[in-house]
Amino acid sequence: MRARNYSIPEVDKLKAKFIAGRIIPAIATSTAMATGLVCLELYKVLAGGHKVEDYRNTFANLAIPLFSMAEPVPPKTMKHQDMSWTVWDRWTVTGNMTLRELLEWLKEKGLNAYSISCGTSLLYNSMFPRHKERLDKKVVDVAREVAKVEVPSYRRHLDVVVACEDDDDNDVDIPLVSIYFR
């Protein structure tokens, strides 16, 4: 039935086992190789004190056979006023703050936030008048209400994506913001 669904020539059970017999070892080989390469890089992370140049990105294709290793490229650094960050960074805020307090915290950094989202849900957008009613609610409560986020009792933070612009109306990409509410 699968062969018919994908317009593949139909074969008997013995031929199907023969084909699968070739695929399973290939999957095991590539999985073992990927796991080994990840572990080699993990040793470097755990040992600490390594520069970006000490790590390796690996591309492997067992079909041709191709095996290529290269130094990873450092992430692009964004700058705004006296701050700088990369996509690997994360901003943390402590305290169970309201949306208004989060907007003010960003304003102190010279950023005008116009949109705050959690997952696929929009918690706040400055263009929607109804969203102004949410400003005095706790961010975690708005996420529970709007995004239907289940926050387990052991979880201490909530991650939000914030879209900002500077005073000249230029978009500024900022890192993920983690709000520690407990």
Side-chain angles (χ1 to χ4, degrees), residues 118-161:
C118 180
T120 59
S121 298
L122 194 58
L123 303 183
Y124 170 78
N125 190 306
S126 60
M127 296 180 66
F128 299 141
R130 261 187 57 216
H131 286 196
K132 302 238 187 292
E133 299 166 5
R134 300 176 181 169
L135 285 173
D136 293 317
K137 293 182 178 179
K138 304 287 184 189
V139 176
V140 72
D141 293 336
V142 175
R144 283 185 182 124
E145 176 187 325
V146 175
K148 308 291 187 242
V149 172
E150 295 287 329
V151 183
S153 59
Y154 60 84
R155 185 125 184 236
R156 301 176 325 152
H157 78 282
L158 182 73
D159 295 327
V160 294
V161 176

Side-chain angles (χ1 to χ4, degrees), residues 13-105:
K13 186 175 181 180
L14 187 64
K15 179 77 174 170
K17 280 188 167 188
F18 176 74
I19 294 168
R22 290 182 166 176
I23 293 171
I24 303 301
I27 292 171
T29 303
S30 57
T31 302
M33 181 187 61
T35 303
L37 290 168
V38 167
C39 286
L40 288 173
E41 298 305 308
L42 183 61
Y43 292 142
K44 296 175 192 174
V45 171
L46 294 174
H50 289 276
K51 301 180 298 255
V52 172
E53 298 83 31
D54 296 335
Y55 297 97
R56 294 289 175 262
N57 281 340
T58 303
F59 174 80
N61 187 336
L62 297 177
I64 46 180
L66 174 67
F67 192 79
S68 172
M69 296 178 93
E71 290 179 10
V73 179
K76 179 183 162 193
T77 302
M78 276 75 76
K79 295 181 186 216
H80 174 71
Q81 294 178 349
D82 60 343
M83 301 176 294
S84 63
W85 61 86
T86 70
V87 293
W88 294 350
D89 292 324
R90 179 180 296 236
W91 287 354
T92 57
V93 182
T94 54
N96 194 7
M97 59 177 28
T98 64
L99 280 170
R100 186 182 311 277
E101 290 168 338
L102 178 59
L103 294 172
E104 289 169 5
W105 182 78

